[in-house]
Amino acid sequence: MPSKDNASDASHSTRQSPRSSLLGRRLTQLLLWALGLVAAGLVVLLMVVAVAMVMAYPNLPDISDLADYKPKLPLRVYTADGQLMGEFGEERRNLTPIKDIPQVLKDAILAIEDNRFYQHGGVDYVGILRAGVANIGRMKSQGASTITMQVARNVYLSSEKTYTRKIYEILLTYKLEHMLSKDQILEIYMNQIFLGNRAYGFASAAETYFGKPLKEITIAEAAMLAGLPKAPSSYNPISNPKRARSRQLHIIERMEENGYITAQQAAQAKAEPLRLRSSADRKTLHAEYVAETVRQMVFAQYGQETYTRGLNVYTTIQSQEQAAAYRALRQGLMDFERRQIYRGPEQFIDLPSDPKKIDEAIDDALDDHPDNGDVMAAVVLEASLKKVVAIRQNGEQLTITGEGLKPVQSGLADKAPSAKQIRRGAVIRVVQMPKGGWEITQLPEVEGALVAITPQSGAIRALVGGFDFAKNKFNHVTQAWRQPGSSFKPFIYSAALEKGFTPSTIVNDAPLFFDGGVTGGQPWEPKNYDGSFDGPMSLRKGLAKSKNMVSIRVLQSVGARNAQEWITRFGFDADKHPPYLTMALGAGSVTVMQMATGYSVFANGGYRVQPHLINRIADYKDRILVDTPAPSHPEEAQRTIPARNAYLMTSLLQEVTRSGTAARAQATLQRPDVYGKTGTTNDAMDAWFAGYQPNLAAVVWIGYDTPRKLGDRETGGGLSLPVWIKFMETALRGLPVSEPAVAEGLVNIGGEWIYDEFARGGGIHSLGTPSESNKAPENLPPAEERSRILDLFKN
């Protein structure tokens, strides 16, 4: 029998069960009501979202153009041998098809951005739910973006994080997934996304950060690049190396976890040292003046599309010759600068006594004085007559002594003016000397130009329009009108050959004087460069020694107006060369390009060719849009002077480089097939050398933008000729000697070739008599013009 106590418990339990049952039913009802409300809320939410999507869908952008994806692609300018010279456009991008993207990069991207990319339908619902829960109560949404969603956002939507934009993003994602294949979507993503440092797409980023093609990147490099899309600035390996390294390691681990790489590969990738591309590593071909010229030409044809449609322009420039021209001109200008008075440091800064703050002060100062190629900026830490210690922006400390201080001795003297004194805190320029060590220098104020063209076609093979494009964008090859001085004399001599002169014609190098009664103004007494007169001499010697009296007498005989008409055959403008006797001494105006074109006429046997820069223009798929290759040989219709005239002028100009004012040319280059003429204008304001080898014509000019004296001893032979020789040493290397064949219509008499009709009589055998000084010269300039050019032009 049950005990009393047990009976009591049972009775108590029986009495409580109806109450507990009622409570349970009520709880169940409340739970069902709650679930019903949640379900109803979800239904309402889904209906609202559905209505919003239905309303939003018609407003979605048309994405049909993505089937033929054409991002903004910059204009790129290349040399004839395929080296990049310049790039113009807001976005630096190399469009790369999906088949050319290395698998290791695809794996890295998928591992960190969207591992289920090839499985899901474009939207990761779990990720969106997780992001929605995390953002309950917030006005902005974040997280859970798949690659397709990022494409929708990057191509069509803004970067704001709102629910409205998220709805548009999801709708666009479905639309993209319906229209495009997964590979097409991934290709757009990998070409479109911004990755910092003006790089758009991973191909451009590989070049920007590692200086290599995309196909050559390693696992470690791929992981570093894959970390950029999330935050290009925060994970930039150049500006934020620690954060970039942390994300790179995380991505390598994700690649291993997802089976893209093995544990051994992961360990090797983590241990691999990365070599980032610095500005010093960039092997830039300095052709900024060429690239800018091409940009202007292309823009004139294509307008604003120039910067977005991915045009690739292939020029006639030869990269090796362009590099040689750049080096030669810069060296010539820097050599000239070493002979100038030191103008003083570029700036003075106060260096703090706290060592921790010095680096910041130096960085701030040198940011305003960037390196100019091999002419680098530094801040002086200590200075004395025998030693200067300076520091560059990269932290390299330089000690300069001996020869390296010679150009700036005036700035180291105790009595040097404060503005010119080199002392602690001075911002100076330094260059490395050829034999080692450093030298203090200064950026040159003088300018220069060099252009080289193929005489037979006009193809421009090298063009340097100034010392530095960033410093001065004025193109001195095409834009500067300067007086050519004696480098213009060959065109006058060419006219003389048609009037009966021969290389052996004797011309008197004797004084000429025209008094006021003859000139109608001030007396005119032209001089030779050295002030001496050598008497009767052959036309050949007169040109070789650049005798001004000989040139003036030749022009008197030819006639200034006849000569003015003749020079137009070489491409010169008649109105830039008034028909006065001063034309014999190069008192007109020319451009460097005109001089190269003019000398090409002698080099190619008498044909006038047009300078030619662009060979072809192609689109981003390398489809040819413009194809204008330079002709290999000129046509007979282009003949502008007789072949025999060109041959005799080449013979005369060979004498200049053999025994005349440019004798250094043949002596240094050790070849006879170089021809040319020096030129130095009044008061040495312009220094020229124009010359050629039968396959290459090149012209060098040096002078100040605002004409002023280069120096009492500065001449074309001393300034421009060395630059020309330095360039030709590279340009003619390996090229066999090539001297022109004797042209038809010439006969050899006494060792000189002359026109056959003049050999039979009628030629001019001598010119100039003692009484000639009393004769009025033909076509003297007006009085006001003569007053400007009385002191005539030199060698």
Side-chain angles (χ1 to χ4, degrees), residues 483-489 529 546 548 585-586 661 677-689 702 710-720 792-795:
Q483 292 177 322
S486 291
S487 63
F488 197 75
K489 289 177 180 176
Y529 171 67
S546 199
N548 288 341
L585 309 177
T661 56
K677 183 71 185 73
T678 55
T680 311
T681 60
N682 185 39
D683 285 334
M685 292 186 182
D686 299 270
W688 293 81
F689 185 77
I702 292 175
L710 290 165
D712 290 334
R713 297 184 180 181
E714 303 294 354
T715 65
L719 274 179
S720 296
L792 287 179
F793 293 76
K794 302 174 185 176
N795 174 38

Side-chain angles (χ1 to χ4, degrees), residues 303-345:
Q304 289 298 327
E305 282 192 345
T306 298
Y307 310 119
T308 59
R309 66 180 292 181
L311 298 175
N312 295 313
V313 182
Y314 298 90
T315 68
T316 57
I317 297 293
Q318 300 293 326
S319 59
Q320 187 176 12
E321 293 175 21
Q322 178 66 29
Y326 176 80
R327 289 193 305 267
L329 183 63
R330 276 181 74 93
Q331 180 180 324
L333 296 179
M334 290 304 298
D335 287 345
F336 171 79
E337 196 59 43
R338 288 185 183 91
R339 300 193 291 272
Q340 308 311 301
I341 296 174
Y342 185 59
R343 296 184 295 276

Side-chain angles (χ1 to χ4, degrees), residues 17-84:
S17 64
R19 188 178 300 169
S20 298
S21 177
L22 179 61
L23 180 62
R25 286 196 297 273
R26 288 179 176 175
L27 287 173
T28 301
Q29 289 174 348
L30 288 173
L31 181 60
L32 290 174
W33 271 100
L35 289 174
L37 288 173
V38 170
L42 287 173
V43 170
V44 171
L45 178 63
L46 289 173
M47 290 179 66
V48 170
V49 171
V51 170
M53 287 186 172
V54 169
M55 295 178 66
Y57 196 86
N59 298 321
L60 291 178
D62 181 16
I63 64 171
S64 58
D65 56 340
L66 278 186
D68 184 21
Y69 174 59
K70 294 179 181 178
K72 290 181 179 180
L73 296 172
L75 166 71
R76 291 189 174 93
V77 183
Y78 296 92
T79 62
D81 47 336
Q83 189 163 343
L84 182 66

